[in-house]
Amino acid sequence: MMRVWSHRPQIEHLGLFVAAYVLGCGFAQALAIVPGITVSIWPPAGVFIATLALTSRYSWPWWILAGCLAEMFAQLVWYHSPVPAGLLIYAGNVLCAVVGAMLIRWTNGRAVRLDTMPEVLAFVALGAGVAPLASATVGSATLAWFDVRSQTFTDVWPLFWIGDATGILLVAPLALVVIQHWRSGTQFSAAQWTEAGILGLIFLGVAALSLSNDYLPTPYIIMPPLLWLAVRFEFRGAAVALTLLALITMALTISGDSQFVGDAESQRERQVMLQLFLAISAFSSLLVAAISRQHQLAVLTLRRSMEALRDREQELSQLVDLIPSHVWRLTADGEPVFFNKRMVDFLGLNPGDMDKPGVGRVEALTQTAHPDDSPAFGNALRHCLATGERFSMRYRLRRADGAYHWMSSRAEPLRDQDGHIVQWYGICHDIDDQVQAEEALRRSERQLQEMIDAVPVRIWSATPVGGPVYFNKRYQDHFRSVIPNFEAIQEPRIEHLLQELVHPEDAPGVERALLACFETGGGSAMRFRWRERDGDFRWAECRVEPRRDHDGRILQWYGVSLDIDGEVRAQEQLRVAQQSLARASQAASLAELSASIAHEVNQPLAAIVANSDACRRWLSAEPPNLERAKITAERITRDANSAADVINRIRALFKRSTEKRSEAALESVVIEARNLMAEEASRRNVRLDVDIDGELPLLTLDRVQIQQVLVNLMRNGMEAMETVFNDKVLSVRARRIADVIETEITDRGLGFTIFERMFEPFQTTKAQGMGMGLAISRSIVESHGGRLWARKNEPQGATFIFTLPVEGKAAS
């Protein structure tokens, strides 16, 4: 209901509909001249169908209600039928209009326009043929049932059907034209108005003469001017002419001066002839108007197509001239017939300029190529012309100034439906710069290859997933000397090379490191033993890094292998010498320490023993000599303090503090310690990762002692990762937490086993260690007012942490 209310028509439109309906009823009443029969041509059916066909279905109840009011008014004024009979007759008219509008809209699939032959035929067959069957049946049955003027169903039905059909054919086109075609606002020119006026006068004169009783023998003489109007003005002309024809017919019939008015016996037959005449006139004019409309549309479409074709041809010509290449066309026999502007400018001639006595255009075209390329160019072109194969070739073409440019030329044949070649179309790209660049690139590649082969390292590359791509000459020579039947291996896999070349103890670690690189995308540096041609193994260092695009995707892997056997052996000898020196130094220090302890502590201890014996004797005397025992006990205390002073001096010796404490930046101390350990880290294949928070405050410290703590802890971490093959990372991090600066040294080693006593002197897990490093480090940190502790990492490794105070004085 809401949609019906929202689609209610405007009041003025409903008023026009009611007025047209009532006028149509009056027209029908004027032509109802058959004695005893009240039906005739029924124009309201055409008004009703046209209205419903052009409006929304949700507005139909409003039009049906307005039509009912108009019908009841007409029944009251002209027909004087009983009210129930009038309502039943109107119900038949509504059924006719609804069925006709729905059928027309369903067949058209769009708004009703009557522009094409299928639309006209659908309108005539369904709207004027099928739809009136409903109104004729209901109306005839109603007249017979209510015995209106004693009309029978059999007598009334044919006239009822043909009357409704004629009314639809006469009025519906006029309504559609008025509502649709004039809505477009199309204006006639002066010539068209003049032609329409002349045709209208001719039509009125012929209609008046042909429809009257006294002049012309048949009314169909009106058909030529009627069809002329339909041809010249299409549906508008046909609709207006049919309206005039209906009005003239009504006027002559009312006046009695019409060929369709006779005596009572022949009036029924004359009424049928009148309706057939109007129906045939309407059908013919609508059909001719549709044919004319389609013809005009076809002519307009053809004209627009021709104009569009000319525009496209002009655009194509401009595009061909703008293409930065040479475009040419040959006949099926190979004669040049078209060069675009760029090719004409390049060659300095048109195809017509190639005509020379005794020389064909194909030969003339061949002569424009470089003398070294001309024979091959001509042979290839003639071969393609003979076989129909595609032409593709690089050659040098002579420019108008005599210079030669490299060209890449292609041509393909255009064939007809039977497969015969009609023409050849070709294009030439100036690739002179490209050829020069390719030659320069080849020279650069040769130079790069020679340089790579001359470099005393082994270089290789791999795909993003690790498949080998390239090995330089030094690598390949090594493969040939070590791997049997290397030439027969078409694609060496990484595992095969590792098995053949790397020491069995190192191969698993190298393979794991490479696979980790390919999986994670991170670079790596590894050291391993490499089998030489004599079967011996030499130390090599391999570095692997990826090359990425702008989006970070890996394009290729690059690697280099360096022979570091001499360096490793020298470092090993140096390490052995350092260890020997360290052991000798430890032994000497221990001997010196022992001698110092024995020398310094012996006398106080001996005095303590002697005074203890004396004190015991004084206390054992009878009676005890307490005064002498007291003096002896005081001597024992003195000698014990003397021994403590000796121990304190030895402790100071362990600290080896020679610098006075001063303000310093912890960052610089850490960096110095890292630089001191850099060589040892490289030798052990350990990566140092230092992270220090910015703007740390200055600390009051003994620079050498704190550096000694860092070096000791960093060396311990490196030694803990000795058995780890990959991911050897030692992290040093410094940050401020409240009033202290906390420093962490983290390794990825195997952890520790003597956690509870690790900071005690002489506690060590190293075969050559003295167990004094952590004890001395803790003493140094605590002397600065901080503390040192350790924790285990998961799943592996350990972290040593020490703090230094930011404010206040450290303990002396």
Side-chain angles (χ1 to χ4, degrees):
M1 292 299 296
M2 291 299 297
R3 288 188 175 181
V4 172
W5 180 256
S6 63
H7 285 80
R8 64 187 183 278
Q10 298 181 11
I11 297 298
E12 56 269 24
H13 294 167
L14 289 173
L16 290 174
F17 173 74
V18 171
Y21 197 100
V22 171
L23 290 175
C25 292
F27 181 88
Q29 172 63 19
L31 294 182
I33 59 176
V34 178
I37 296 189
T38 60
V39 298
S40 65
I41 298 174
W42 188 245
V47 175
F48 218 155
I49 283 183
T51 301
L52 296 185
L54 294 174
T55 57
S56 170
R57 286 182 296 174
Y58 298 108
S59 68
W60 286 4
W62 297 95
W63 302 110
I64 293 174
L65 180 60
C68 182
L69 296 176
E71 179 74 25
M72 292 301 99
F73 178 80
Q75 291 287 343
L76 179 65
V77 174
W78 288 306
Y79 299 107
H80 310 292
S81 300
V83 174
L87 290 175
L88 287 175
I89 291 174
Y90 180 67
N93 293 337
V94 170
L95 184 61
C96 171
V98 170
V99 171
M102 293 181 66
L103 290 176
I104 293 172
R105 293 175 67 162
W106 174 70
T107 54
N108 288 331
R110 61 167 187 166
V112 182
R113 298 181 62 88
L114 297 183
D115 279 346
T116 64
M117 184 68 69
E119 291 183 0
V120 172
L121 294 178
F123 167 74
V124 172
L126 300 177
V130 175
L133 295 176
S135 58
T137 302
V138 175
S140 300
T142 300
L143 293 176
W145 185 14
F146 285 92
D147 194 22
V148 178
R149 297 188 185 181
S150 301
Q151 299 175 105
T152 65
F153 182 86
T154 305
D155 292 336
V156 174
W157 192 92
L159 293 176
F160 215 123
W161 176 78
I162 195 173
D164 285 0
T166 304
I168 292 172
L169 289 174
L170 287 174
V171 178
L174 177 64
L176 293 174
V177 166
V178 170
I179 295 174
Q180 284 191 325
H181 290 279
W182 263 272
R183 185 189 301 170
S184 62
T186 304
Q187 299 294 329
F188 283 169
S189 64
Q192 287 177 318
W193 279 114
T194 302
E195 183 181 3
I198 295 173
L199 284 177
L201 292 175
I202 295 174
F203 178 80
L204 289 174
V206 174
L209 294 175
S210 62
L211 293 176
S212 64
N213 279 324
D214 302 329
Y215 298 102
L216 298 177
T218 176
Y220 288 96
I221 296 177
I222 194 63
M223 294 302 291
L226 176 64
L227 298 181
W228 189 357
L229 284 169
V231 170
R232 292 294 297 147
F233 300 99
E234 299 174 358
F235 290 101
R236 283 175 286 187
V240 173
L242 289 176
T243 302
L244 294 176
L245 180 62
L247 293 176
I248 293 173
T249 302
M250 183 184 70
L252 292 176
T253 300
I254 293 174
S255 65
D257 189 23
S258 172
Q259 292 190 14
F260 299 105
V261 178
D263 52 20
E265 291 76 12
S266 63
Q267 188 57 53
R268 176 184 176 88
E269 180 180 356
R270 289 177 179 268
Q271 181 72 7
V272 173
M273 296 302 295
L274 171 62
Q275 293 175 347
L276 287 176
F277 165 71
L278 293 177
I280 292 172
S281 299
F283 175 74
S284 301
S285 61
L286 291 176
L287 193 64
V288 171
I291 295 173
S292 176
R293 179 61 177 168
Q294 285 191 328
H295 173 71
Q296 293 298 328
L297 290 176
V299 172
L300 179 61
T301 302
L302 180 60
R303 184 183 299 112
R304 290 177 177 174
S305 299
M306 294 297 293
E307 292 175 355
L309 183 61
R310 285 192 295 270
D311 294 340
R312 296 297 180 272
E313 184 177 1
Q314 184 177 3
E315 291 177 2
L316 179 61
S317 178
Q318 294 176 350
L319 287 175
V320 169
D321 289 338
L322 290 175
I323 291 176
S325 299
H326 301 166
V327 180
W328 44 274
R329 179 162 53 90
L330 309 178
T331 64
D333 299 330
E335 294 293 318
V337 293
F338 170 78
F339 295 157
N340 72 333
K341 186 176 183 300
R342 286 185 180 271
M343 190 168 184
V344 172
D345 294 342
F346 184 89
L347 295 176
L349 50 85
N350 285 304
D353 300 332
M354 293 184 173
D355 295 331
K356 299 179 181 179
V359 179
R361 290 187 179 181
V362 176
E363 287 73 14
L365 180 62
T366 303
Q367 293 174 2
T368 59
H370 192 277
D372 295 340
D373 303 333
S374 180
F377 173 68
N379 293 334
L381 182 59
R382 282 187 285 270
H383 173 77
C384 293
L385 293 174
T387 62
E389 299 176 0
R390 294 178 178 178
F391 173 79
S392 179
M393 187 178 179
R394 280 187 174 191
Y395 56 90
R396 286 162 289 182
L397 191 65
R398 185 177 66 246
R399 201 167 58 184
D401 58 1
Y404 286 94
H405 276 224
W406 279 100
M407 293 287 175
S408 176
S409 181
R410 295 177 59 87
E412 293 188 5
L414 174 66
R415 301 177 184 270
D416 58 16
Q417 295 180 350
D418 298 328
H420 299 136
I421 295 177
V422 178
Q423 285 182 345
W424 286 82
Y425 289 91
I427 188 169
C428 291
H429 298 288
D430 190 330
I431 59 170
D432 196 70
D433 293 339
Q434 176 184 342
V435 172
Q436 301 297 334
E438 290 174 353
E439 181 60 30
L441 179 61
R442 284 192 292 269
R443 289 195 302 268
S444 298
E445 288 178 348
R446 286 195 299 268
Q447 294 174 358
L448 178 61
Q449 186 65 51
E450 293 172 356
M451 182 176 65
I452 291 176
D453 291 339
V455 172
V457 295
R458 300 182 177 95
I459 302 175
W460 58 276
S461 64
T463 63
V465 295
V469 174
Y470 168 77
F471 296 102
N472 71 337
K473 184 176 182 299
R474 190 174 294 270
Y475 243 132
Q476 296 185 31
D477 293 342
H478 184 76
F479 292 156
R480 293 187 185 94
S481 64
V482 175
I483 302 177
N485 300 322
F486 173 75
E487 300 293 347
I489 303 176
Q490 296 182 356
E491 292 185 2
R493 301 302 290 170
I494 294 295
E495 294 81 358
H496 178 72
L497 296 178
L498 294 178
Q499 181 180 1
E500 292 288 342
L501 300 175
V502 181
H503 193 282
E505 296 178 359
D506 302 337
V510 174
E511 184 176 355
R512 285 195 300 269
L514 287 176
L515 293 179
C517 291
F518 299 148
E519 291 176 0
T520 63
S524 178
M526 63 199 80
R527 291 188 173 190
F528 52 86
R529 285 162 289 182
W530 183 271
R531 184 158 63 92
E532 293 292 339
R533 64 185 66 186
D534 55 4
D536 294 336
F537 287 94
R538 295 177 62 86
W539 280 98
E541 182 178 72
C542 180
R543 296 183 178 271
V544 182
E545 292 290 339
R547 182 169 71 89
R548 303 176 184 270
D549 59 12
H550 295 295
D551 298 327
R553 292 188 296 266
I554 295 177
L555 301 177
Q556 209 167 27
W557 288 90
Y558 291 99
V560 295
S561 296
L562 304 175
D563 188 337
I564 59 169
D565 191 74
E567 177 186 349
V568 172
R569 296 184 185 277
Q571 290 179 350
E572 182 63 22
Q573 293 174 359
L574 177 61
R575 186 181 64 82
V576 172
Q578 289 175 341
Q579 289 179 351
S580 300
L581 179 60
R583 286 194 294 269
S585 299
Q586 291 173 356
S589 298
L590 184 59
E592 182 180 353
L593 177 62
S594 301
S596 176
I597 292 174
H599 181 270
E600 297 292 335
V601 179
N602 185 48
Q603 291 181 355
L605 290 180
I608 290 173
V609 172
N611 289 325
S612 297
D613 291 337
C615 183
R616 181 176 57 81
R617 288 194 302 271
W618 293 119
L619 292 176
S620 298
E622 291 295 338
N625 192 340
L626 297 178
E627 185 66 26
R628 298 296 294 180
K630 179 179 178 183
I631 295 173
T632 305
E634 290 176 354
R635 290 176 178 175
I636 293 173
T637 303
R638 181 197 64 192
D639 294 334
N641 289 332
S642 178
D645 291 336
V646 171
I647 297 301
N648 285 334
R649 289 198 300 271
I650 295 173
R651 184 168 178 262
L653 176 63
F654 270 107
K655 293 181 182 178
R656 294 187 296 274
S657 177
T658 59
E659 289 189 7
K660 188 177 181 181
R661 293 184 181 178
S662 61
E663 287 190 344
L666 182 61
E667 179 180 4
S668 63
V669 179
V670 174
I671 296 301
E672 289 176 0
R674 183 197 63 184
N675 295 338
L676 290 174
M677 298 302 296
E679 182 178 355
E680 184 173 352
S682 177
R683 178 175 59 82
R684 296 178 182 271
N685 200 20
V686 175
R687 187 176 82 243
L688 295 177
D689 188 0
V690 177
D691 182 14
I692 302 175
D693 288 355
E695 299 181 357
L696 291 178
L698 298 177
L699 300 177
T700 302
L701 49 80
D702 188 327
R703 191 181 191 93
V704 174
Q705 289 183 343
I706 299 301
Q707 189 179 99
Q708 179 182 354
V709 173
L710 289 167
V711 169
N712 188 22
L713 296 179
M714 292 169 69
R715 177 176 287 111
N716 288 346
M718 293 181 187
E719 292 174 350
M721 294 187 288
E722 189 69 29
T723 58
V724 178
F725 290 97
N726 53 7
D727 291 333
K728 293 184 178 183
V729 179
L730 184 70
S731 300
V732 180
R733 182 182 181 187
R735 58 181 177 175
R736 179 171 182 173
I737 300 178
D739 294 331
V740 299
I741 294 180
E742 184 179 274
T743 305
E744 296 180 355
I745 294 90
T746 303
D747 63 68
R748 299 182 182 179
L750 301 179
F752 37 75
T753 57
I754 54 171
F755 181 80
E756 296 81 4
R757 298 164 51 194
M758 66 168 52
F759 291 100
E760 296 181 6
F762 304 105
Q763 296 295 326
T764 181
T765 58
K766 306 174 186 176
Q768 307 297 331
M770 291 182 61
M772 296 297 294
L774 291 178
I776 295 174
S777 296
R778 171 172 278 186
S779 299
I780 294 174
V781 171
E782 289 177 351
S783 71
H784 282 75
R787 66 189 189 95
L788 170 64
W789 72 96
R791 68 164 180 259
K792 294 182 179 180
N793 296 338
E794 293 295 335
Q796 66 182 34
T799 299
F800 286 81
I801 309 104
F802 69 91
T803 61
L804 297 174
V806 174
E807 298 178 355
K809 294 184 178 179
S812 58

